[in-house]
Amino acid sequence: MNHRSTAFAAAYALMRVASDHSDHWGQSDFDAQCKGATDKVPVEYKHQDGTTVTVGTDGGRRACLHHVLQLTTTQGMALVAGTRMLGIRLHPVAVAAALAVSGLTHYAADRRVPQGLLQRLAKATGKERFYTLADFGLNGSYCLDQSWHHSWETLAALVASVKADQR
């Protein structure tokens, strides 16, 4: 088997599991609730101590950035540790480029402002009804969000595997 195919498969699996963990277990409730906040559509966030804060555009951007930095850091640690354990050497520039692809595209999707990137893309591709679906145990915007992340992480894994070799 070609070593680059092995490096790609390992990089994809490691980035995907790190992203899935970060989206569901690692992301704070505040970031999850507030990352789409804008001044026109603010989010009222109630802390566990009962205090409430109104989050607008700046706070929404910070919440999304905080989530993406946490996610990208987790992906980086998983890539470095996992490939080292597997005896795969990834080129540092390729890893940095892969993490940039993953982080930037994750932010673009997760900012989720009204009429944001995913909603506009869903409308342009005839998926707007699916995007707004929130019934039958499904949430269309969540499904499209995760599909977006999987797709870009595939490209990121391809980038990470450039110039990969064995230890």
Side-chain angles (χ1 to χ4, degrees), residues 106-121:
H106 203 97
Y107 184 92
D110 275 22
R111 184 66 178 102
R112 292 222 192 130
V113 296
Q115 293 302 312
L117 176 66
L118 285 185
Q119 190 172 6
R120 289 191 323 265
L121 186 57

Side-chain angles (χ1 to χ4, degrees), residues 35-118:
K35 63 189 176 185
T38 65
D39 292 340
K40 289 183 179 178
V41 185
V43 171
E44 294 291 324
Y45 182 80
K46 185 174 182 178
H47 292 278
Q48 287 183 343
D49 67 5
T51 61
T52 302
V53 62
T54 302
V55 180
T57 300
D58 287 344
R61 288 177 181 151
R62 282 193 305 273
C64 194
L65 181 61
H66 182 263
H67 164 57
V68 169
L69 289 174
Q70 176 266 333
L71 177 137
T72 307
T73 300
T74 303
Q75 284 184 320
M77 292 186 324
L79 265 177
V80 170
T83 55
R84 180 167 288 225
M85 290 175 66
L86 294 169
I88 299 168
R89 185 182 328 223
L90 299 178
H91 194 280
V93 173
V95 170
L99 293 173
V101 166
S102 181
L104 291 170
T105 59
H106 203 97
Y107 184 92
D110 275 22
R111 184 66 178 102
R112 292 222 192 130
V113 296
Q115 293 302 312
L117 176 66
L118 285 185

